[in-house]
């Protein structure tokens, strides 16, 4: 992992905060007769950091799924297994591993997922399995908790008080408007919160008489922020980008508005870029998209869309 050191980038890692009870619960799942735990939750809520803190100082083998290796059998365990290997041979090879952490288990290839399930069935290896909500999970992984092989800990986004503690650790005391704005834009994603704070850190100005600092103005389009909003900024189809930009300046919009293309709206909805509520109003799917699209628009385009 590379850590940038320019003045606008937040130093890493952030202090571990707000998950002390969950950390102890994970630790206890690896002691005595217990066989481990599955940790689930939305992207960026701190699942990997939680289990890393829970196993700190212990002897633990690690494996992780990746999008690129989902079609390669046993790809996640290639560094732990001999070649070639069957499922039976893989279980036998890992039977001596006391504790195994499997991160991003929703990205495992089918053979690796089956291996994790068999390790749980045999019960000789204590397993910590981390998976992100909102993705299709291999059936062998979901059966870990639906089949009651392992208990599941479903993490919620970090509470507001603990999130504010992270912001203070990263940039000092912030005024309420700035803290609320950063929380809203990140929507519980701590990695996005870190990126946003890194982007605005050099723009914070003192609030007279308070000791706090404030951020006003548009979202800065740093490389980290652009990467986070690539789904909308990288949209190259002109009608789709025009619709996204219009929403950025005037959401919500009624879907039956005469000059809105319903075919375009369906494509954007299926790609998870817009949402339609029960009353039919159309909005951008993430609170970061609007500010980033507005910041990326030129002055003439912004004037036309705002009008």
């Amino acid at each position: 992992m590379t850590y940038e050191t320019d003045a606008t980038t937040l130093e890493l890692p952030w202090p571990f905060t707000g998950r002390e009870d969950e950390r102890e619960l994970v630790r206890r799942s690896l002691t005595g007769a217990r066989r481990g735990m599955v940790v689930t939750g939305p992207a960026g809520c701190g699942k990997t950091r939680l289990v890393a803190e829970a196993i700190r100082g212990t002897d633990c083998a690690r494996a992780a799924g990746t999008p690129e290796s989902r079609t390669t059998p046993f790809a996640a365990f290639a560094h732990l297994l001999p070649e070639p290997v069957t499922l039976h041979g893989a279980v036998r090879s890992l039977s001596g591993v006391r504790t195994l952490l499997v991160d991003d288990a929703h990205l495992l290839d089918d053979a690796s997922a089956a291996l994790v399930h068999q390790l749980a069935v045999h019960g000789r290896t204590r397993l910590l399995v981390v998976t992100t909500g909102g993705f299709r999970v291999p059936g062998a992984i979901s059966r870990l908790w639906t089949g009651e092989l392992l208990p599941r800990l479903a993490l919620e986004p970090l509470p507001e008080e603990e999130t504010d503690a992270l912001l203070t650790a990263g940039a000092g005391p912030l005024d309420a408007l700035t803290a609320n704005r950063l929380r809203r834009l990140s929507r519980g994603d701590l990695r996005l919160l870190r990126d946003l704070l890194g982007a605005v850190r050099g723009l914070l100005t003192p609030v007279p008489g308070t000791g706090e600092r404030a951020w006003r103005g548009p979202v800065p389009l740093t490389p980290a922020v652009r990467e986070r909003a690539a789904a909308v900024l990288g949209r190259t189809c002109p009608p789709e980008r025009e619709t996204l930009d219009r929403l950025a300046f005037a959401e919500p919009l009624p879907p039956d508005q005469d000059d809105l293309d319903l075919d375009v709206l369906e494509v954007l909805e299926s790609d998870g870029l817009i949402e339609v509520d029960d009353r039919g109003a159309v909005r951008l799917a993430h609170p970061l998209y609007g500010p980033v699209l507005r910041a990326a628009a030129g002055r003439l385009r912004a004037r036309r869309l705002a009008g």
Side-chain angles (χ1 to χ4, degrees), residues 254-276:
D256 56 356
Q257 191 161 323
D258 292 340
D259 55 350
L260 279 181
D261 189 324
L262 290 180
D263 290 336
V264 170
L265 291 177
E266 288 181 8
V267 171
L268 295 175
E269 184 183 30
S270 66
D271 289 346
L273 301 183
I274 65 171
E275 296 174 341
V276 182

Side-chain angles (χ1 to χ4, degrees), residues 171-174 178 182 197 200-206 213-216:
L174 301 176
T178 299
L182 289 168
L197 187 54
V200 307
R201 199 178 185 191
L203 305 176
L204 296 172
T205 57
R213 293 194 295 169
W215 164 50
R216 304 294 185 263

Side-chain angles (χ1 to χ4, degrees), residues 1 7 11 25 34-35 48-49 53 66 78 95-96 112 120 124 135 147 149 195 199 206 242 249 266 287 298:
M1 181 179 294
E11 294 179 0
L25 187 63
R34 298 179 176 89
R35 293 184 293 174
T48 299
R49 179 66 184 276
E53 293 292 331
T66 62
S95 62
S112 293
R124 289 189 287 268
F135 294 91
L149 290 170
D195 291 341
E242 176 72 12
F249 282 89
E266 288 181 8

Side-chain angles (χ1 to χ4, degrees), residues 158-281:
L158 200 65
E160 181 177 309
E161 183 178 349
E162 281 75 18
T163 303
D164 286 346
L166 285 178
L167 290 172
T168 300
L174 301 176
D175 76 324
L177 182 60
T178 299
N180 289 337
R181 189 179 180 191
L182 289 168
R183 286 196 305 268
R184 180 178 60 82
L185 289 174
S186 60
R187 194 188 267 181
D189 186 331
L190 299 182
R191 290 174 295 185
L192 176 55
L193 183 69
R194 178 193 64 198
D195 291 341
L196 287 170
L197 187 54
V200 307
R201 199 178 185 191
L203 305 176
L204 296 172
T205 57
V207 179
T210 66
E212 299 174 338
R213 293 194 295 169
W215 164 50
R216 304 294 185 263
V219 173
L221 295 181
T222 63
V225 172
R226 283 185 177 275
E227 182 179 357
R228 284 296 187 147
V232 288
L233 289 178
R235 212 68 181 188
T236 57
C237 174
E240 294 175 7
R241 181 60 184 266
E242 176 72 12
T243 300
L244 292 170
D245 283 343
R246 286 187 61 189
L247 286 167
F249 282 89
E251 67 177 336
L253 291 175
D256 56 356
Q257 191 161 323
D258 292 340
D259 55 350
L260 279 181
D261 189 324
L262 290 180
D263 290 336
V264 170
L265 291 177
E266 288 181 8
V267 171
L268 295 175
E269 184 183 30
S270 66
D271 289 346
L273 301 183
I274 65 171
E275 296 174 341
V276 182
D277 65 22
D278 293 338
R279 293 178 293 181

